[in-house]
Amino acid sequence: MDPGPGHKSGSEDWQCPLLCHCGLVNYQISVQGSKHFELEVRLLDAEGQIVAHSMGAQGQLQVPSAHLWWPYLMHNYPAYLYSLEVRLAAETAAGPVADFYTLPVGIRTVAVTASQFLINGKPFYFHGVNKHEDADIRGKGFDWPLLVKDFNLLRWLGANAFRTSHYPYAEEVMELCDRYGIVVIDESPGVGIVLVESFGNVSLHHHLEVMEELVRRDKNHPAVVMWSVANEPASFLKPAGYYFKTLIAHTKALDPSRPVTYVTSSSYAVDLGAPYVDVICVNSYYSWYHDYGHLEVIPLQLATQFEKWYSTYQKPIIQSEYGAETIAGLHQDPPLMFSEEYQRGLLEQYHLVLDQKRREYVVGELIWNFADFMTDQTPQRVLGNKKGIFTRQRQPKGAAFVLRERYWKIANETTHHPSAVKAQCLGNSLFTL
């Protein structure tokens, strides 16, 4: 049984602290094995009370005074989930059969304007991280204790979002995002699209299928607010325009309720796919991959980047990657590359500009990376990528405390709920989580 997309509220009355007008849950259920069946659909609130009821394989549940799903730190009652229950009674050759299916459901809206990203009608600012499914011992293998540790660190950090760079994460990760209120930019494994032949019909057909699989799997997660179809493609190549026009239109047809983007490292002047995205996501590494050691050039370069992109496209912008490699415990004054002081200094220079532009049209910032991770061995990597604000063992570098102070400050500016301040006061130590 496959409940379909459409977990949307019919109201944008976000000023109400807990309740809104009638929420709508559209559902579509497929049944295999018999054509003679009855379906009963019920929606239960967090207390187990039935708030909506229907019969049949397709329909719409109306939820009076719906509790909205809000992101972490955006509301006193974030991540409110209903439970959708589907009861099946069927006649088969072997006799009567009964089945039962449950699905957590969040009711919320997502919208994009020329300068804002809106959740439940309220401006939302992404302050979070990029991640990888990676750690010692198990590598990319799934690890429940590690996952819980990571989510505790995200909450300690005051992060409200992350991107699944650069592939879909385990379904358990998405379920925790729903329950913790961590917003997700859900990215396909469209990374390394850099050759002309990679934009051909064979690749495009496969990429369309990949997006169908990703939307089919993750469409019912309220934490997922935007699809990312690719990371750092060679979007300046001539075939890229048609490729991304087709791919993004297909993704929107699969799910009209969410915006679509891809993450670019191309210049605004040559990016041929940017006209088709809803949100501009830009990666830049000023004073790391060029202008080595010159932190003072970051403000001018970053401000120019934002201004050129926005004047060209009039779309909200997310700084989707930025950062510097850092060896934990390496200290240099004045700051030198790979020292903790250089990573902190680089972040602070970025933040000067982000603080200006987030009051205009920048709607998010995602550090690269949440934690150090292993890579192929090359002369450029010292035991993997060291751009994490935590080590691969999840110990904090100095930059983690810079971001924590910043993210909690932003959260307290954008919400006036006392729970945000209380949570910050209770989380002063990493070891209280």
Side-chain angles (χ1 to χ4, degrees):
M1 291 180 287
D2 178 24
H7 300 159
K8 300 173 66 178
S9 167
S11 168
E12 293 186 354
D13 185 16
W14 55 266
Q15 293 179 344
C16 182
L18 183 61
L19 304 177
C20 73
H21 296 303
C22 182
L24 305 177
V25 178
N26 299 315
Y27 69 89
Q28 183 175 349
I29 304 163
S30 61
V31 178
Q32 297 180 351
S34 174
K35 295 182 179 179
H36 307 287
F37 60 85
E38 286 188 355
L39 287 172
E40 179 187 11
V41 181
R42 305 191 303 177
L43 191 70
L44 283 66
D45 64 17
E47 287 72 43
Q49 301 298 311
I50 298 174
V51 296
H53 176 272
S54 184
M55 301 293 293
Q58 185 172 351
Q60 182 182 86
L61 300 175
Q62 298 188 7
V63 187
S65 300
H67 298 254
L68 299 184
W69 187 96
W70 290 95
Y72 176 53
L73 299 180
M74 199 174 178
H75 197 274
N76 262 336
Y77 303 95
Y80 190 96
L81 292 174
Y82 292 89
S83 179
L84 183 73
E85 293 187 353
V86 181
R87 297 175 181 270
L88 167 74
E91 292 294 335
T92 69
V97 173
D99 197 3
F100 182 80
Y101 183 90
T102 62
L103 178 74
V105 170
I107 298 176
R108 57 106 185 97
T109 60
V110 174
V112 174
T113 72
S115 61
Q116 292 180 316
F117 194 100
L118 305 175
I119 295 181
N120 299 330
K122 184 176 181 179
F124 176 76
Y125 188 80
F126 297 78
H127 46 89
V129 302
N130 294 275
K131 289 186 93 281
H132 261 305
E133 291 185 315
D134 173 84
D136 282 343
I137 310 301
R138 283 191 170 88
K140 290 185 174 295
F142 182 76
D143 188 331
W144 262 119
L146 176 72
L147 185 59
V148 172
K149 172 69 172 178
D150 282 0
F151 271 79
N152 282 338
L153 290 177
L154 288 171
R155 296 169 70 196
W156 173 87
L157 195 64
N160 64 4
F162 68 78
R163 175 169 63 118
T164 65
S165 45
H166 305 296
Y167 42 82
Y169 289 1
E171 291 184 75
E172 292 87 347
V173 177
M174 313 308 289
E175 291 168 0
L176 279 188
C177 288
D178 291 340
R179 296 191 179 280
Y180 280 97
I182 303 298
V183 166
V184 177
I185 300 174
D186 205 354
E187 189 162 87
S188 82
V191 62
I193 309 176
V194 296
L195 303 175
V196 173
E197 50 266 37
S198 298
F199 292 96
N201 287 334
V202 174
S203 293
L204 177 58
H205 179 73
H206 177 63
H207 208 154
L208 296 176
E209 290 181 337
V210 166
M211 291 312 301
E212 290 174 7
E213 294 171 356
L214 179 59
V215 172
R216 184 185 308 120
R217 194 196 76 162
D218 290 348
K219 64 182 181 295
N220 290 319
H221 291 287
V224 175
V225 299
M226 183 159 60
W227 306 111
S228 172
V229 299
N231 175 73
E232 294 186 345
S235 50
F236 54 87
L237 294 176
K238 187 175 181 180
Y242 173 79
Y243 186 96
F244 284 109
K245 179 181 180 180
T246 305
L247 180 60
I248 291 171
H250 181 68
T251 306
K252 285 177 173 290
L254 294 169
D255 178 14
S257 71
R258 291 178 176 90
V260 181
T261 189
Y262 67 83
V263 175
T264 185
S265 58
S266 297
S267 165
Y268 76 96
V270 298
D271 195 309
L272 300 178
Y276 308 109
V277 302
D278 296 302
V279 177
I280 303 290
C281 290
V282 183
N283 294 350
S284 59
Y285 288 91
Y286 299 121
S287 300
W288 186 256
Y289 289 123
H290 47 80
D291 297 313
Y292 315 129
H294 290 283
L295 298 176
E296 74 278 4
V297 305
I298 292 174
L300 176 60
Q301 292 179 336
L302 185 61
T304 301
Q305 167 197 280
F306 287 142
E307 290 160 7
K308 293 295 187 182
W309 275 104
Y310 192 74
S311 63
T312 302
Y313 290 106
Q314 299 289 302
K315 296 177 181 180
I317 302 172
I318 295 175
Q319 182 68 45
S320 43
E321 287 185 28
Y322 71 108
E325 304 240 5
T326 303
I327 307 300
L330 181 63
H331 297 283
Q332 289 290 320
D333 184 24
L336 298 180
M337 295 179 73
F338 294 97
S339 70
E340 292 203 35
E341 287 76 15
Y342 193 87
Q343 186 183 41
R344 292 180 62 142
L346 185 145
L347 266 57
E348 289 165 352
Q349 292 299 310
Y350 265 82
H351 297 163
L352 290 174
V353 179
L354 286 165
D355 279 340
Q356 298 171 10
K357 300 305 180 182
R358 69 186 173 93
R359 293 173 172 83
E360 301 177 38
Y361 47 77
V362 171
V363 298
E365 55 192 78
L366 304 175
I367 188 70
W368 187 270
N369 192 283
F370 172 73
D372 296 343
F373 58 93
M374 188 51 65
T375 63
D376 292 339
Q377 297 185 64
T378 71
Q380 291 77 33
R381 301 292 191 196
V382 183
L383 295 179
N385 189 305
K386 291 292 190 291
K387 291 191 180 74
I389 59 171
F390 296 98
T391 67
R392 199 177 185 215
Q393 296 75 34
R394 278 32 178 195
Q395 297 302 309
K397 303 177 188 178
F401 296 93
V402 172
L403 277 185
R404 181 175 188 272
E405 181 178 356
R406 173 173 179 77
Y407 286 175
W408 280 104
K409 179 181 177 182
I410 293 174
N412 287 328
E413 288 176 359
T414 55
T415 181
H416 302 289
H417 298 293
S419 61
V421 179
K422 180 180 179 183
Q424 183 183 17
C425 294
L426 291 175
N428 286 331
S429 169
L430 284 167
F431 304 104
T432 63
L433 296 174

